[in-house]
Amino acid sequence: MGLASGEVVLHASGRCEDGYGGWAAVLTHGSHQRELSGSGSGTGVTSHRMALTAVVEGLTALTRPSRVRICVADETLHEKRAQRQPPDEPYLWQRLRPLLARHHVVWTEPGEWADVGDEDSAYDEDDDQDEWADETPCDLAAELAFHQYRGEEVRAGAQGEENTLTVAVSRFLAERWDDMHAFEAADDVISTLHFSIGWYGDTPFSEMAPAEIVDELGPFFSSTLPHKQHASPHELRTAKRVVTDLLNWLVANGHVDAEAARDRLEDIDITVDERASLKEFVDAFADDDLVPWPDRSSIEARVDCQYLTIAEVADRSLTFKDYDRYDEDDGPAVGPVPVRPEIAARARTGWRILLSAAKVRGQWRLVEVVSGDP
């Protein structure tokens, strides 16, 4: 059987978070376009599985052998397709192999999409831009599929009658499902809160009463987000906004005492401001602000990945001391360490910074700035 005339472009995309996945495939042939999408859940669901599913379902939808250019942004898929016996997703690969034999397939990675319009191709530069444009609805379709499936799970959980935190949170999320971006921001923060309670709490999330959440928010903002999730300043502020909405919702629905919620929100405001500012300080250090470890023979003193406290801040320098081992008036100082004025302006005395530093020819220089604590 001969190949269908013209080339079919298959854009495929997959997405997964916390075991909830969505996939989408966009088939384009001339002026005709067809969109396919679906979802799945479970412990084995990954973004790779969703992307592979999109490729399989897209090829399956073709009714006759065709020349197909597959554009999929999935590094794992591009790595595994070159192996004779891919070790993962055997069921999907078993479906994929006969489809690859049926069609004349060219694989295109994202970095190559801009090179599609060469002399041997039917595409010109404008068509390359169309391919990039086609990726947007494909990604959006995968996101919508994920959103739809997750919404069904949340709405099902919201039907429970028991007075538990799980049911209350499901109702809170269900009310936000129509606004996809607000829903996903809240869902992501609450998922991290679920992890935090499992890590630090004495009672499992599923067994907690709604009012118990107030006591769990301290470690969530002071430890889980900055140290286990390495949250950015934007992520910290997003978490504060979501938790503020959640606590206000719990108060309005009679689950949490208003005064307890207000006190906790005041603490969260202080914690997030401090953590976000500290994170911005650490992130402000660029490669040019640090030096590689000098030759061992030239090092007069060194600090290797140790917490030190900012003791003095000048316009263009910082001085650190080890208050964990010495009193404020005792112990050696690391510094003054030269820094850019922009970094000095962000620094606050009393912050504990995890860093490495070396002293050469009487001058301290920073080798590494890792993280910090207020």
Side-chain angles (χ1 to χ4, degrees):
M1 182 180 296
L3 295 174
S5 62
E7 184 181 63
V8 176
V9 178
L10 167 58
H11 280 91
S13 180
R15 177 183 174 186
C16 180
E17 289 183 17
D18 300 321
Y20 299 97
W23 62 266
V26 177
L27 291 161
T28 304
H29 183 232
S31 61
H32 301 285
Q33 189 173 88
R34 181 180 178 186
E35 296 184 7
L36 307 166
S37 64
S39 57
S41 66
T43 55
V45 173
T46 62
S47 293
H48 168 56
R49 178 185 288 186
M50 293 291 97
L52 184 55
T53 300
V55 171
V56 170
E57 296 298 339
L59 292 176
T60 301
L62 296 174
T63 58
R64 60 176 297 182
S66 306
R67 289 188 293 273
V68 185
R69 182 180 299 277
I70 301 177
C71 302
V72 56
D74 183 81
E75 293 182 4
T76 303
L77 178 52
H78 288 293
E79 293 171 358
K80 302 302 182 186
R81 66 181 172 81
Q83 302 179 15
R84 293 185 177 182
Q85 294 183 339
D88 60 347
E89 311 297 346
Y91 169 70
L92 287 171
W93 281 97
Q94 288 171 8
R95 291 184 60 194
L96 180 59
R97 289 193 187 96
L99 293 169
L100 296 178
R102 173 179 169 82
H103 303 287
H104 179 72
V105 170
V106 175
W107 295 85
T108 307
E109 299 187 38
E112 301 169 350
W113 293 354
D115 299 326
V116 171
D118 57 26
E119 294 180 358
D120 297 327
S121 171
Y123 292 92
D124 59 20
E125 185 175 350
D126 292 335
D127 291 324
D128 296 337
Q129 294 175 1
D130 289 342
E131 283 200 6
W132 279 105
D134 286 343
E135 182 62 7
T136 300
C138 189
D139 285 341
L140 179 59
E143 188 172 356
L144 288 170
F146 160 82
H147 180 64
Q148 179 68 39
Y149 195 92
R150 180 66 180 124
E152 294 172 0
E153 293 284 321
V154 167
R155 286 192 294 271
Q159 301 304 312
E161 296 182 359
E162 59 271 21
N163 184 29
T164 64
L165 181 59
T166 298
V167 172
V169 164
S170 294
R171 291 173 180 167
F172 169 79
L173 288 172
E175 291 183 9
R176 281 147 184 78
W177 185 81
D178 288 340
D179 185 337
M180 184 171 69
H181 296 295
F183 172 87
E184 291 190 0
D187 195 27
D188 183 56
V189 170
I190 290 172
S191 174
T192 307
L193 177 59
H194 192 292
F195 162 80
S196 179
I197 290 173
W199 187 273
Y200 292 106
D202 297 326
T203 304
F205 191 96
S206 59
E207 298 177 11
M208 291 180 63
E212 295 181 79
I213 193 175
V214 174
D215 294 331
E216 303 296 336
L217 294 175
F220 175 65
F221 281 100
S222 64
S223 298
T224 302
L225 288 177
H227 293 307
K228 297 191 179 300
Q229 300 295 316
H230 304 289
S232 67
H234 172 73
E235 290 169 332
L236 285 166
R237 294 179 178 117
T238 297
K240 182 181 79 168
R241 185 179 68 250
V242 169
V243 168
T244 298
D245 289 345
L246 175 59
L247 282 181
N248 287 334
W249 185 91
L250 290 170
V251 169
N253 285 272
H255 295 297
V256 171
D257 177 71
E259 184 175 353
R262 184 172 57 253
D263 291 343
R264 178 55 69 192
L265 288 174
E266 289 176 358
D267 293 340
I268 289 172
D269 261 343
I270 295 171
T271 300
V272 169
D273 175 69
E274 195 79 12
R275 290 286 179 180
S277 298
L278 196 155
K279 179 67 173 171
E280 288 168 342
F281 166 78
V282 171
D283 291 345
F285 284 89
D287 291 340
D288 292 343
D289 297 310
L290 307 173
V291 299
W293 278 110
D295 181 80
R296 186 184 297 271
S297 62
S298 65
I299 296 178
E300 301 167 9
R302 63 183 288 167
V303 171
D304 195 355
C305 209
Q306 181 178 332
Y307 273 103
L308 297 179
T309 300
I310 298 177
E312 298 176 16
V313 178
D315 289 342
R316 294 178 178 270
S317 68
L318 302 174
T319 300
F320 301 86
K321 289 192 175 181
D322 186 358
Y323 291 154
D324 291 340
R325 300 182 185 180
Y326 305 94
D327 293 332
E328 290 191 15
D329 296 330
D330 299 328
V334 173
V337 179
V339 297
R340 287 182 287 119
E342 297 88 342
I343 293 177
R346 294 181 181 275
R348 298 182 188 177
T349 57
W351 278 352
R352 297 173 66 251
I353 307 299
L354 182 60
L355 58 83
S356 298
K359 185 178 183 182
V360 177
R361 297 178 183 176
Q363 175 66 65
W364 280 99
R365 293 298 302 269
L366 292 172
V367 176
E368 185 180 29
V369 178
V370 182
S371 62
D373 278 315

